[in-house]
């Protein structure tokens, strides 16, 4: 995929020490103040999506937001009820400035916290 940029993610369950399989993710492009839905995906057994969330042909500079449906995942894997959840939807808004770069936005998730960074 060297002919243009693309977007990927990886979700790790840091409380359980494993990839977060079966976690749903939505991607939005922010147009002004309006989020425009671009894709819905789910993580595989390795905590990754099977293909780039935003492939080369759709990739362009702008503001994007990944929304990780952590609550659904945590109720299924951590044994928490909906009332016990601290995290539900985890939105990560970021800017793409280089149309030729690979943007990797991982999520490190636990029932009571998360972190992210620009990966490679």
């Amino acid at each position: 995929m060297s002919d243009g940029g693309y977007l990927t993610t990886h979700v790790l369950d840091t409380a359980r020490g494993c990839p977060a399989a079966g976690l749903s993710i939505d991607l939005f492009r922010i147009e002004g103040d309006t989020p425009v839905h671009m894709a819905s995906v789910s993580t595989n057994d390795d905590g990754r999506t099977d293909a780039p969330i935003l492939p080369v042909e759709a990739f362009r500079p702008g503001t994007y937001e990944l929304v990780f449906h952590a609550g659904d995942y945590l109720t299924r894997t951590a044994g928490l009820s909906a009332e016990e959840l601290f995290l539900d939807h985890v939105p990560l808004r970021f800017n793409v400035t280089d149309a030729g770069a690979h943007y990797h936005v991982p999520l490190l998730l636990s029932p009571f916290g998360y972190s992210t960074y620009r990966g490679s």
Side-chain angles (χ1 to χ4, degrees):
M1 293 198 176
S2 59
D3 293 336
Y6 56 102
L7 172 65
T8 58
T9 192
H10 188 192
V11 185
L12 297 174
D13 183 329
T14 58
R16 296 174 53 221
C18 63
L23 192 144
S24 297
I25 305 164
D26 286 310
L27 171 68
F28 298 88
R29 179 175 169 86
I30 309 303
E31 302 281 351
D33 292 330
T34 305
V36 177
H37 187 262
M38 305 268 315
S40 293
V41 296
S42 186
T43 57
N44 60 24
D45 288 343
D46 194 35
R48 300 175 185 273
T49 58
D50 290 330
I53 301 170
L54 193 58
V56 171
E57 58 274 7
F59 194 79
R60 65 179 205 240
T63 301
Y64 293 88
E65 185 171 86
L66 287 168
V67 178
F68 296 85
H69 296 265
D72 294 340
Y73 171 80
L74 292 168
T75 56
R76 189 175 73 249
T77 61
L80 298 172
S81 70
E83 295 79 25
E84 296 172 306
L85 284 176
F86 177 66
L87 296 172
D88 189 9
H89 294 93
V90 175
L92 299 179
R93 190 169 287 194
F94 57 96
N95 293 313
V96 169
T97 57
D98 183 351
H102 172 198
Y103 282 75
H104 184 66
V105 182
L107 181 70
L108 306 176
L109 178 65
S110 79
F112 300 102
Y114 67 90
S115 65
T116 190
Y117 55 95
R118 179 166 177 198
S120 59

